[in-house]
Structure formats: C-alpha cells, structure tokens
Amino acid sequence: MKKISLSSILSQLLLLFFVIVWLIPTFGLFISSLRDKDLLAISGWWTALTTTEINEIYRMSGMEAQIEEDGYFKIKGTLFEENSGKKIESFGINSKKINEFMIGDIAIFKNESEVILDQDGNYEWRSKSEFQNKKGKRLFTTSLSPPSFTFENYREVLFKEGIGRAFVNTMAVALPSTLIPLIICSFFAYSLTWMKFFGRDTLLAIIIASLVVPLQMSLIPILSIYNDFGALFGVAAKSYPGVWMAHTGFGLASTTFLLRNFLKSLPNEMMEAAKVDGASHYDIFLRIIIPLSIPAFASIFILQFLWCWNDLLVGLVFLDQVPSEIILTAKLKELLGSRGENWEILTTGAFVSMTVPLFIFFALQRYFIRGLVAGSVKG
Amino acid sequence: MYDDVFIHLKDRSKEDEVADINVNTVNKYFGDVHVIKDISLDIKSQSFTVLVGPSGCGKSTMLRMIAGLEDINSGTISIDGQVVNDLPPKQRNIAMVFQSYALYPHMTVFDNMAFGLKLEKRSKDEINERVNEAARILQIEDYLLRKPKQLSGGQRQRVAIGRAITRKPKVFLFDEPLSNLDAALRVQMRVELAKLHNELDATMIYVTHDQTEAMTLADDIVVLDTGIVSQKGSPLELYDKPNNMFVGGFIGSPKMNFMPSKILSKSADSTEVDIMGMSKISVPKLSASSSEGDAVTLGIRPEHLVVNGDSDGSWESKVFVVEKLGDVTYLYLEKDGEPLVAEAEGHSDIKVGDTVKVGFPAGRCQLFDSSNQAFK
Amino acid sequence: MTILNLLFIVFLGILFFIAYFHISNYLLDSYGGKSVKRYNIENSIRVIVFIAPAFIVLFVFILYPVFETIRLSFYDKFGREFVGLYNYKWAVNDPEFRRSILNNLVWLLVVPTLSTFFGLVIANLADRIWWGSIAKSIIFMPMAISFVGAGVIWKFIYEYRGPDNTQIGLLNSIIVSLGYEPQAWLTIPIWNNFFLMAIMIWIQTGLALVIFSAALRSIPKEMLEAARIDGASELKIFFSIIIPYLEQTILVIWTLITIIVLRIFDIIFAMTNGEWQTGVLANLMYDWMFRGGGDSGRGSVLAIVIMIGVIPILAWNLYKHRQEQKI
C-alpha cells in the first residue's frame, strides 16, 4: 500500500540532487583519467560522454610512401588510428578554410597534386610529378568522434612518472603501520580490560586524553629524536621503521580505545570459564579473544589502514622525498606543483592513489562504517 | 622440605571426618561494601550443598571465592585440606557452570568441552573418550559438531555442564545455572542434575535464589542473608525449624504468613500468645530472652492454615482473591489490613467475598521475637 | 632500496612484534603455575609484557612530545637557549599567524556545522527511500579518499583557463555558459577559503551521515508510531522527536569533525599551499618546521595553539569517562 505523495517525490528529488553533487567530482576525475590526453586538455570531461564534433590537424605521409600507379604518383594512407570510430564530416587543406571540402570532393593543392578522403580517414594523394618533400601536406579534418576511452594514461603514469613505485612505497608504509598498532594495542587493550594492575585507571584516562591530542604536538620532538637517533647510530634519520612507529604512536590511542570498547562487550563469565578451564592470559588471548575479535579487528584495520594510506603529513615529515621513499599523496602533491597543467597525469595519478581505498570501501563498507560508528560513541 | 607433603598426608588420613571444603571466617569487601562477613562453612565431601538467598546476599561472591575468581580479603578457604587462597582456579581441581553458560561461541560443542583438556595437553584419545563419555551422560552426542548458537537454551546448559564433567573435578560449582531456562525445562534439568550428582559422586556447590531448587536438590542448604549465614541444614530442618524470620519467610512457597502477636504468658513448655486481638493460642515453643507483654511475630505456612475446619486458634476472615491451581486453591484473606494466604482443597467452592473460619494447629506455627530470632 | 628489500623489511618489522609477544608469553606459560610464588611472579611479569610495547610507544610519541613541545615553545629556533615568551610575542604580532587563526576559526565554524547539517538531512531523506542505501554509499565514498586525492578532484572542478579558451573546469564551464566571465576561484582572497571548505564538507558529510544513520535506526519504532497515532505530522516528528533524540549524536559528530578540521593541513597544502590568504595553523607550523632551516620555537607555539583548541573537548571526554567509571 504505497502512496506517492508530494513530499515523498520532493524528498526523492532532494536526495537525488545531493547524490549527483557528491558523485560528479569523482566521476569527472575517473572519466578524465580514461581520456586521450590531448582531448583532455582542450575539452571538458563531460563532452567525452557523447559523440562530439572535433577539429584536428593531420599530416599525410611523405615521399618515401609514394608508389607509381596508372600514370600517377600516389601516396595512400590513413589519418586515424585503427578503430578510432571517428567519422569525417568535412575537411580542408588550408588553416583558414578548414571546412572547405566535403567527403567525395577532390581537393587540389597549389602544386596541382590532389587528394581524396573517405569518412574513415583513408586518403589517396596523387600527383602527375614525383613527390619531392620528406614531409606530407597537412589536412584539416572536422569529424564526429564517439565516446572513446584509453588506458594509455595509466600506463604512462604507473611506469614513467614513478606513481607505480610510490604505490609500492605507500603499501610498505601503510601495512606495517596498521598491523603493528593492531598487534600491540590488542594486548594493551586486553590488559586494560581483563587484567588487574596498579595504575590501570590512570592509564585508561591517559588513552582517552590522547585520543584528541593533535599529531602536530608530536612532530617537532619526534623529528629531533629521529635526527639524534640517526646521528648516534650512523643510520638515516628518515626511514620506513621510523614512519611505522610514528603512525603506530598516532594511531595507538584510538586503536586501543576501540579495541577496549569491543573487549568490554565480551561476557565476563566466558573469560572466567576459560580461567577455570585452566587457560593462561595468553591462552585466552590466542584461543578466545582473537577468534572473537575478527570483526572488530577488521573495522580497526580498515580505519587505521585508510588513515595511513591517505596520510600526507607524516609521510612528508618522516620520509625523504626520493623515489624509493616517496608516498602516493606526497607524489601527487609534487605533481600538482610540477605538472599542474598535465591533467592526464594528475587525474590518473589521483585515481591510482584512490584504487586501494575505493576497493576497501566497496568490498568492506560494512566494517568501515561499523568502525566509524563505534569510534564515534565517544570520539 | 617434606612439611608440605606431611601435612597433606595427615589431612588425607582424616579424610572421612574432614569436610571436603572448609571456609574459615572469610571476609570480602567490594570497595567499602562488606559483602561477606566472617563466614565459616564446612561442606562435606560428595554432598550437594545449595547456597540460597535473595540477590545481593553474597552467595555468588562466596562461590566465586571458592572458584578462585575473586580474591579473599581475610580468612581461608581450603579444599581437601589444602589452603587455596592464592591458587589460580585451574589448580583448585574445580569446575564451574555459569549462569549465562559462558560457552565459547566460536568453538563447536566438542571443542567447548575439550578446551580444558587440550590446555592440560591430554592425548587425543583421552580427550575423545572423556568428551564422548560426558556427551553420553548428558545426551548431547548428536550436537557435538554444532556451534553454541545453533543450540536451544537447554542444550547449551547441557554443554556447559558437559564442559565441567570432562575435567573430572573434585568439586562442581554451579552459579544459578537454571535461571535462564523456561519453567518446564528448569524442572526437567533439576531432575537431571540430581541424577548427575548420584552418578558422579562429586561434591557439588550450587548457588540459586530459587528456594524450590534449593529444597529439591540439596543435601544441605545454606541460607545467606546480607553476607552472613542465616541458617545451614537439611531442607526439612529449614522448613520445619527456621532459625529466624528470614529463613522462615524465604523457604517455602507461597511464603509463610506473619502475624503480629503479643506474649500473654509463659509456662514451662509453651508460650501463650494473642494474635492481633482475634485469637489466643498456646504455642509449644520457648524463648528465654522474651517476657510477658513482648511483641512477637507468629509465623504460619499457608498449607498449615485450616480453612473451615478444626484447629487450635481460629477467627473469621473475608476472602478477596481466589487462585485455583487445580491441586490446591489459594485464598487471599484479609484481617485488619494484614494479608494472609491460606491453602484450601483443589476443588473448593469458596468464592470471593465469602467469609471463612481460619485457624491452625498450635504445633505447626513458629514464633519470632523482636530481633526476629525463632523460639525453640 | 629495491622493492624486494622493502618487502623484506616490512615482513621483518611485523614479525618482530609477533615474535616478541609469542616468545615472552611462551616462556611465562612454561615458567608459571608450578607454585603460588611462581604464579604471582608470572602474573606481574605478564602484565608488564602485555603493556610495555604500547606504553613505550605512547610515552615516546605522545606523552613526552607534549611536554617537549611546551618546553621548546620557550626556547630559540634551535631549542638551545631559553627565550621566555619571545615566540609567543612573535606569534601575536605576526600577520600570517593572525590570518591563520582567523581562517582556522572560520573553518571551525563552517565545516562542522554544514557537514553535520547535510549529514542529518541526508540521513533522514535516505532512511525512507528505497534506494537510500545506494545514495548513502555514494555520499559516504569521499571518506575513503585522501585529502590530497580530493584536492586533485576539486582542483579539476575549479580549473581556470583564460576567457578565450574552452573551460575544462566544471565550475567555470557552467559560469561561462550562463554568460559570465570565468574566474580563478582559488586565488580570490576570502572566497577561496570557502571553495577549500567545500572540499572538506564534501568529505566529512559522509562521516556525519553514517553515524546519524546508525543513530536513526536506534530510535524505537514504537515511539514514532505512537507519535503518528497521536496525529503528529512527519515534520513535527522530525523536529520534536528525532532531533531531541539525536541531540547527543549531533554533539558527538560536531566535536568529531571539529577535531579533524582543527588539524586540517593536506587540503590547503595541496591546493594553494597557504597562498592567497588561505593559510591555517597547521600549514604555518609545517612551514616553520622547515623555513630557514626550521624554527622549533615558533613551530611549537603553533602546535600549542592547535592543542589549545582541543583542550575543551579533551576535558569533556575525561569528564564523561569518569562519569561512566562511577557506574
């Protein structure tokens, strides 16, 4: 018994509006990353979705390609790449009059050579006398281009611009930076929940306070610790283990807090049953806590992993900006500065950096949301 | 160096006389709250002892201290002659069944029951044998490969008991194990627990707030009230001779009726009291601490009130509610604002609004003095 | 460093922590439990084994730095000589600092408020429409993207070409098709701040949305049905039942986003690098960490100013925690 009321239509429209506004920026980036880089620079990405009229300049082949046939010297060839899908509407031989000829017309150059063109871009250029120029003449075409997409940008960005390596580097930062806090915080949260010791409540209060301490408070002292450490032992001050530990430090409070909230929700009697069964704390941890915490671990893993993957500041401060250490976000920022006009690199690079988060988002959205909601209970 | 062994042997030699579990002037505080006050208890080997009392009386805390799940502030608890105050649960040779069953949700029934044995690093064959044996006793052989959430409440309860049985402990501890079951299942499990006790010959300590469970299961009942032992004895001792008003009121269902009364006179073997100015009766009980004119409370169980029949003292009362249960009928009577419950025969034709004659035989009632202690 | 080497140290790093816990606990398990004395020793050591790594990290990366940063704020740029309140005086008189504080305040005012508002509205709309969960997914998606990635996405939207060229930025393209002049949005002072904030709102609305959705689901259906039976309109129900019911959630989301906004750095760093008067405290601080070889005194002052922003929230959290502990 559904009734279609005005208010229901209005709310549907309003929601649709929000959805479109929220979707368009990412969608535009995605489309752009799949476009030909020359088209990308001269037309908006939205034009790529429909058949569009485009004007292009092509040069025909030079004298090497000529053959003698029926008393003519001929140069045959095609303007477009295979399967471009473009259809020529009109063409010209002069930049002033680019629409001078229609398909089927014979265009005659000043040197009396003539050219015919079909709509798929195949041309036949013939002359009574032998062609003398190394370079062919230019043709100006106006054609209808269907939507066309290419992975060329991705190939370029992954292997030539260093984004591929930055991807690996980011993984090498994010994975340990997620797993290490998960390991040490699960023991920490366990002891805060199920063990009795002096100062437990104080420790818990410190964790809660640390939840909101901005990481800016830690940057300068830790950087100087790392510098001293590096100088003392003659190792690099900026290193992967350094970043892992920094991320571990900054994620420690929230990871512990979330895990403790989860552990607290496990029934006390189950732990006691295990104790009566003769389990040590480590037995309980391995055989009971870990199997039961898998969903909580998944949520926390996702939150911390995304945080580390998406981080810029920590990677900027604690890693050298060299190809073997630079992370994706820092690389993107670098490209924004140096290749600001090369949108095919920027859009594709940005999209590469988003693949992992988006994969996690679509595959594990349930755990992601659960983690966020659990974390927000207190914040 | 041999002292430990020696003491141990000495205790073993007296095993027959010595209680299996000995609780000696134990105290427990939760913060400022004194929950267990100087409790001493002897629990006999192979007995079924029930700790009963209202919520907050300290019965669960007592059990958990025996289990080793709570620290003891002062006093000692010994099991089999050995002081266990500082021993972890696993070294006390006990097993415990929890109110919420406390099964491991990610393990199968088999693994739940085998968990303790695996931790003891028993051989595979032994684990199989013991688990299957327990499963056979509890008739859960068909469910061994299921997870707890695929089981009904009653089946989970059996698994929880099975987990205790497989470890072959000297002492079984039950913490309100039946309180999460529905009424019919509770009765059934009660019978099975009694059977189990006969089969296993182990010491069992059972905590409940339900006096029916206590009465039906126990060899010995320990009634706890706000951290002290109110009375300890066999079910019928507690029923017939409650030490005080608390035990009188707690044991028996429906509750014992209490009526304000006054001592008229004392003789060598009885005390004559006046019940709310309606009736006089001479009760064959005595108390040295009370004298003529003292206010006392007379207690009489509903099943001992005689309706429209011969009795020692009697008066007239109006019926305001009638509950017909088939086998018996409970009449709710009122006299001067004091409610009374009386038991009548199952097919009684007494109706609401009727006036009935109520009385009781003098030998059946109890008297309690102003500090709620019973007359002997 | 080759990729193979990198994989190796990643593996080693993770293995180290697993090995630490496993070996120490294994030793404890085989040591303890043989006598009361050993049992007690085992228990005390076990607590230390469980806590030590996390506590050391907590101490080195949070506790010590907080006090060290406070100390450094009273020292010169190398952290060697005591200079009293010099750095603070510098900050108060620095126009860049004042600009950053002002920008931060505007960010704090606008972003949490609008994100929370949009989140609440969308959660309510989506709750009653059959395709609502798809809509929620789409609006939530920016939460997964990095701030820098979002920066690129939006820079593309704000892209500016001279008036004679085809506009490839969506915003300018719309403006031009309506007959106006294209604008270089990110370089117009004051307004450019709002274009940057739009990015943050675009991201954080998703956070508010999912938390509100969860909270909405927790409203007892009976309560809403009772209100409908009493004849309340949907709008009335929204304002007099749902909003008051979500009061606590609104507060939580608002503080959550406030904390995130307070340390906002990436978006501005990537989009404008603080130019055209868009700088905020975190950017200024990053700047002073490295400007002229780095000035730890001024950097620390800026960090402390950010910290002061969260102190009320910190105090509130601790207060709430203590209330809970009492129960």
Side-chain angles (χ1 to χ4, degrees), chain A residues 37 156 160-161 332-346:
Chain A
K37 63 180 173 189
E156 163 110 12
K160 289 193 195 139
E161 292 292 334
L332 266 185
K333 156 68 188 157
E334 189 188 288
L335 290 175
L336 266 175
S338 64
R339 311 289 294 267
E341 289 301 305
N342 293 60
W343 277 108
E344 77 282 2
I345 291 172
L346 282 174

PDB file of all heavy atoms in Angstrom, chain A residues 37 156 160-161 332-346:
ATOM      1  N   LYS A  37      44.936  12.228 -23.772  1.00  0.00           N
ATOM      2  CA  LYS A  37      45.470  13.386 -23.062  1.00  0.00           C
ATOM      3  C   LYS A  37      45.324  14.685 -23.839  1.00  0.00           C
ATOM      4  O   LYS A  37      45.201  15.752 -23.246  1.00  0.00           O
ATOM      5  CB  LYS A  37      46.917  13.164 -22.662  1.00  0.00           C
ATOM      6  CG  LYS A  37      47.878  12.982 -23.807  1.00  0.00           C
ATOM      7  CD  LYS A  37      49.262  12.771 -23.233  1.00  0.00           C
ATOM      8  CE  LYS A  37      50.237  12.412 -24.349  1.00  0.00           C
ATOM      9  NZ  LYS A  37      51.531  12.003 -23.811  1.00  0.00           N
ATOM     10  N   GLU A 156      51.259   5.233 -18.717  1.00  0.00           N
ATOM     11  CA  GLU A 156      52.236   6.321 -18.618  1.00  0.00           C
ATOM     12  C   GLU A 156      52.553   6.650 -17.152  1.00  0.00           C
ATOM     13  O   GLU A 156      53.699   6.706 -16.745  1.00  0.00           O
ATOM     14  CB  GLU A 156      51.635   7.553 -19.313  1.00  0.00           C
ATOM     15  CG  GLU A 156      52.302   8.857 -18.968  1.00  0.00           C
ATOM     16  CD  GLU A 156      53.078   9.399 -20.143  1.00  0.00           C
ATOM     17  OE1 GLU A 156      52.884   8.861 -21.253  1.00  0.00           O
ATOM     18  OE2 GLU A 156      53.873  10.329 -19.955  1.00  0.00           O
ATOM     19  N   LYS A 160      56.130   5.550 -16.016  1.00  0.00           N
ATOM     20  CA  LYS A 160      57.067   6.622 -16.336  1.00  0.00           C
ATOM     21  C   LYS A 160      57.137   7.707 -15.272  1.00  0.00           C
ATOM     22  O   LYS A 160      58.155   8.336 -15.085  1.00  0.00           O
ATOM     23  CB  LYS A 160      56.698   7.258 -17.685  1.00  0.00           C
ATOM     24  CG  LYS A 160      56.986   6.322 -18.843  1.00  0.00           C
ATOM     25  CD  LYS A 160      56.920   7.049 -20.174  1.00  0.00           C
ATOM     26  CE  LYS A 160      56.838   6.089 -21.341  1.00  0.00           C
ATOM     27  NZ  LYS A 160      55.888   6.553 -22.349  1.00  0.00           N
ATOM     28  N   GLU A 161      56.022   7.942 -14.586  1.00  0.00           N
ATOM     29  CA  GLU A 161      56.001   9.070 -13.651  1.00  0.00           C
ATOM     30  C   GLU A 161      56.348   8.656 -12.224  1.00  0.00           C
ATOM     31  O   GLU A 161      56.287   9.460 -11.310  1.00  0.00           O
ATOM     32  CB  GLU A 161      54.620   9.730 -13.667  1.00  0.00           C
ATOM     33  CG  GLU A 161      54.284  10.441 -14.962  1.00  0.00           C
ATOM     34  CD  GLU A 161      55.154  11.680 -15.186  1.00  0.00           C
ATOM     35  OE1 GLU A 161      55.633  12.251 -14.191  1.00  0.00           O
ATOM     36  OE2 GLU A 161      55.350  12.057 -16.351  1.00  0.00           O
ATOM     37  N   LEU A 332      51.669  12.940  -5.453  1.00  0.00           N
ATOM     38  CA  LEU A 332      50.589  13.695  -6.100  1.00  0.00           C
ATOM     39  C   LEU A 332      50.767  15.185  -5.878  1.00  0.00           C
ATOM     40  O   LEU A 332      50.601  15.989  -6.790  1.00  0.00           O
ATOM     41  CB  LEU A 332      49.241  13.288  -5.515  1.00  0.00           C
ATOM     42  CG  LEU A 332      48.447  12.200  -6.218  1.00  0.00           C
ATOM     43  CD1 LEU A 332      47.109  12.062  -5.534  1.00  0.00           C
ATOM     44  CD2 LEU A 332      48.253  12.544  -7.687  1.00  0.00           C
ATOM     45  N   LYS A 333      51.095  15.518  -4.631  1.00  0.00           N
ATOM     46  CA  LYS A 333      51.307  16.931  -4.312  1.00  0.00           C
ATOM     47  C   LYS A 333      52.468  17.496  -5.138  1.00  0.00           C
ATOM     48  O   LYS A 333      52.397  18.608  -5.659  1.00  0.00           O
ATOM     49  CB  LYS A 333      51.554  17.052  -2.806  1.00  0.00           C
ATOM     50  CG  LYS A 333      52.325  18.271  -2.357  1.00  0.00           C
ATOM     51  CD  LYS A 333      51.568  19.575  -2.543  1.00  0.00           C
ATOM     52  CE  LYS A 333      52.475  20.749  -2.256  1.00  0.00           C
ATOM     53  NZ  LYS A 333      52.072  21.990  -2.868  1.00  0.00           N
ATOM     54  N   GLU A 334      53.501  16.674  -5.284  1.00  0.00           N
ATOM     55  CA  GLU A 334      54.656  17.097  -6.088  1.00  0.00           C
ATOM     56  C   GLU A 334      54.229  17.321  -7.539  1.00  0.00           C
ATOM     57  O   GLU A 334      54.592  18.308  -8.170  1.00  0.00           O
ATOM     58  CB  GLU A 334      55.718  16.002  -6.007  1.00  0.00           C
ATOM     59  CG  GLU A 334      57.058  16.359  -6.592  1.00  0.00           C
ATOM     60  CD  GLU A 334      57.968  15.139  -6.621  1.00  0.00           C
ATOM     61  OE1 GLU A 334      58.428  14.728  -5.543  1.00  0.00           O
ATOM     62  OE2 GLU A 334      58.181  14.584  -7.715  1.00  0.00           O
ATOM     63  N   LEU A 335      53.415  16.407  -8.070  1.00  0.00           N
ATOM     64  CA  LEU A 335      52.945  16.537  -9.446  1.00  0.00           C
ATOM     65  C   LEU A 335      52.051  17.769  -9.597  1.00  0.00           C
ATOM     66  O   LEU A 335      52.083  18.451 -10.617  1.00  0.00           O
ATOM     67  CB  LEU A 335      52.168  15.293  -9.865  1.00  0.00           C
ATOM     68  CG  LEU A 335      52.992  14.018 -10.058  1.00  0.00           C
ATOM     69  CD1 LEU A 335      52.088  12.854 -10.357  1.00  0.00           C
ATOM     70  CD2 LEU A 335      54.007  14.213 -11.182  1.00  0.00           C
ATOM     71  N   LEU A 336      51.249  18.040  -8.570  1.00  0.00           N
ATOM     72  CA  LEU A 336      50.385  19.223  -8.625  1.00  0.00           C
ATOM     73  C   LEU A 336      51.225  20.468  -8.829  1.00  0.00           C
ATOM     74  O   LEU A 336      50.825  21.404  -9.518  1.00  0.00           O
ATOM     75  CB  LEU A 336      49.592  19.367  -7.325  1.00  0.00           C
ATOM     76  CG  LEU A 336      48.199  18.764  -7.275  1.00  0.00           C
ATOM     77  CD1 LEU A 336      47.633  18.890  -5.874  1.00  0.00           C
ATOM     78  CD2 LEU A 336      47.268  19.445  -8.271  1.00  0.00           C
ATOM     79  N   GLY A 337      52.417  20.479  -8.224  1.00  0.00           N
ATOM     80  CA  GLY A 337      53.280  21.628  -8.384  1.00  0.00           C
ATOM     81  C   GLY A 337      53.997  21.620  -9.718  1.00  0.00           C
ATOM     82  O   GLY A 337      53.989  22.613 -10.449  1.00  0.00           O
ATOM     83  N   SER A 338      54.603  20.457 -10.072  1.00  0.00           N
ATOM     84  CA  SER A 338      55.470  20.434 -11.251  1.00  0.00           C
ATOM     85  C   SER A 338      54.711  20.173 -12.543  1.00  0.00           C
ATOM     86  O   SER A 338      55.108  20.618 -13.602  1.00  0.00           O
ATOM     87  CB  SER A 338      56.553  19.372 -11.072  1.00  0.00           C
ATOM     88  OG  SER A 338      55.954  18.098 -10.996  1.00  0.00           O
ATOM     89  N   ARG A 339      53.629  19.423 -12.504  1.00  0.00           N
ATOM     90  CA  ARG A 339      52.916  19.076 -13.720  1.00  0.00           C
ATOM     91  C   ARG A 339      51.472  19.556 -13.658  1.00  0.00           C
ATOM     92  O   ARG A 339      50.565  18.883 -14.136  1.00  0.00           O
ATOM     93  CB  ARG A 339      52.945  17.550 -13.937  1.00  0.00           C
ATOM     94  CG  ARG A 339      54.304  16.894 -13.804  1.00  0.00           C
ATOM     95  CD  ARG A 339      55.227  17.238 -14.959  1.00  0.00           C
ATOM     96  NE  ARG A 339      54.774  16.690 -16.227  1.00  0.00           N
ATOM     97  CZ  ARG A 339      55.156  15.528 -16.705  1.00  0.00           C
ATOM     98  NH1 ARG A 339      55.988  14.769 -16.024  1.00  0.00           N
ATOM     99  NH2 ARG A 339      54.717  15.098 -17.865  1.00  0.00           N
ATOM    100  N   GLY A 340      51.290  20.724 -13.044  1.00  0.00           N
ATOM    101  CA  GLY A 340      49.949  21.232 -12.778  1.00  0.00           C
ATOM    102  C   GLY A 340      49.034  21.327 -13.981  1.00  0.00           C
ATOM    103  O   GLY A 340      47.823  21.291 -13.858  1.00  0.00           O
ATOM    104  N   GLU A 341      49.653  21.433 -15.180  1.00  0.00           N
ATOM    105  CA  GLU A 341      48.816  21.552 -16.370  1.00  0.00           C
ATOM    106  C   GLU A 341      48.581  20.208 -17.050  1.00  0.00           C
ATOM    107  O   GLU A 341      47.781  20.098 -17.956  1.00  0.00           O
ATOM    108  CB  GLU A 341      49.465  22.529 -17.368  1.00  0.00           C
ATOM    109  CG  GLU A 341      49.402  23.969 -16.907  1.00  0.00           C
ATOM    110  CD  GLU A 341      47.965  24.451 -16.688  1.00  0.00           C
ATOM    111  OE1 GLU A 341      47.148  24.351 -17.622  1.00  0.00           O
ATOM    112  OE2 GLU A 341      47.666  24.911 -15.574  1.00  0.00           O
ATOM    113  N   ASN A 342      49.346  19.204 -16.615  1.00  0.00           N
ATOM    114  CA  ASN A 342      49.192  17.897 -17.249  1.00  0.00           C
ATOM    115  C   ASN A 342      48.082  17.108 -16.564  1.00  0.00           C
ATOM    116  O   ASN A 342      48.330  16.236 -15.739  1.00  0.00           O
ATOM    117  CB  ASN A 342      50.498  17.108 -17.184  1.00  0.00           C
ATOM    118  CG  ASN A 342      51.556  17.759 -18.019  1.00  0.00           C
ATOM    119  OD1 ASN A 342      51.911  18.920 -17.763  1.00  0.00           O
ATOM    120  ND2 ASN A 342      52.050  17.070 -19.014  1.00  0.00           N
ATOM    121  N   TRP A 343      46.869  17.428 -16.944  1.00  0.00           N
ATOM    122  CA  TRP A 343      45.748  16.845 -16.221  1.00  0.00           C
ATOM    123  C   TRP A 343      45.663  15.340 -16.382  1.00  0.00           C
ATOM    124  O   TRP A 343      45.139  14.648 -15.543  1.00  0.00           O
ATOM    125  CB  TRP A 343      44.440  17.521 -16.638  1.00  0.00           C
ATOM    126  CG  TRP A 343      44.259  18.789 -15.869  1.00  0.00           C
ATOM    127  CD1 TRP A 343      44.362  20.056 -16.331  1.00  0.00           C
ATOM    128  CD2 TRP A 343      43.984  18.889 -14.478  1.00  0.00           C
ATOM    129  NE1 TRP A 343      44.170  20.965 -15.322  1.00  0.00           N
ATOM    130  CE2 TRP A 343      43.938  20.265 -14.179  1.00  0.00           C
ATOM    131  CE3 TRP A 343      43.795  17.971 -13.461  1.00  0.00           C
ATOM    132  CZ2 TRP A 343      43.678  20.748 -12.891  1.00  0.00           C
ATOM    133  CZ3 TRP A 343      43.542  18.435 -12.187  1.00  0.00           C
ATOM    134  CH2 TRP A 343      43.495  19.809 -11.911  1.00  0.00           C
ATOM    135  N   GLU A 344      46.217  14.818 -17.523  1.00  0.00           N
ATOM    136  CA  GLU A 344      46.117  13.362 -17.692  1.00  0.00           C
ATOM    137  C   GLU A 344      46.948  12.665 -16.626  1.00  0.00           C
ATOM    138  O   GLU A 344      46.577  11.594 -16.144  1.00  0.00           O
ATOM    139  CB  GLU A 344      46.539  12.939 -19.110  1.00  0.00           C
ATOM    140  CG  GLU A 344      48.029  12.904 -19.396  1.00  0.00           C
ATOM    141  CD  GLU A 344      48.615  14.290 -19.644  1.00  0.00           C
ATOM    142  OE1 GLU A 344      47.862  15.290 -19.560  1.00  0.00           O
ATOM    143  OE2 GLU A 344      49.826  14.405 -19.905  1.00  0.00           O
ATOM    144  N   ILE A 345      48.054  13.289 -16.214  1.00  0.00           N
ATOM    145  CA  ILE A 345      48.893  12.681 -15.173  1.00  0.00           C
ATOM    146  C   ILE A 345      48.251  12.848 -13.803  1.00  0.00           C
ATOM    147  O   ILE A 345      48.177  11.913 -13.009  1.00  0.00           O
ATOM    148  CB  ILE A 345      50.297  13.318 -15.202  1.00  0.00           C
ATOM    149  CG1 ILE A 345      51.009  12.887 -16.477  1.00  0.00           C
ATOM    150  CG2 ILE A 345      51.102  12.911 -13.982  1.00  0.00           C
ATOM    151  CD1 ILE A 345      52.298  13.598 -16.713  1.00  0.00           C
ATOM    152  N   LEU A 346      47.752  14.048 -13.555  1.00  0.00           N
ATOM    153  CA  LEU A 346      47.146  14.319 -12.253  1.00  0.00           C
ATOM    154  C   LEU A 346      45.905  13.467 -12.006  1.00  0.00           C
ATOM    155  O   LEU A 346      45.767  12.839 -10.962  1.00  0.00           O
ATOM    156  CB  LEU A 346      46.772  15.799 -12.153  1.00  0.00           C
ATOM    157  CG  LEU A 346      47.938  16.722 -11.873  1.00  0.00           C
ATOM    158  CD1 LEU A 346      47.475  18.165 -11.937  1.00  0.00           C
ATOM    159  CD2 LEU A 346      48.532  16.410 -10.516  1.00  0.00           C
TER     160      LEU A 346
END
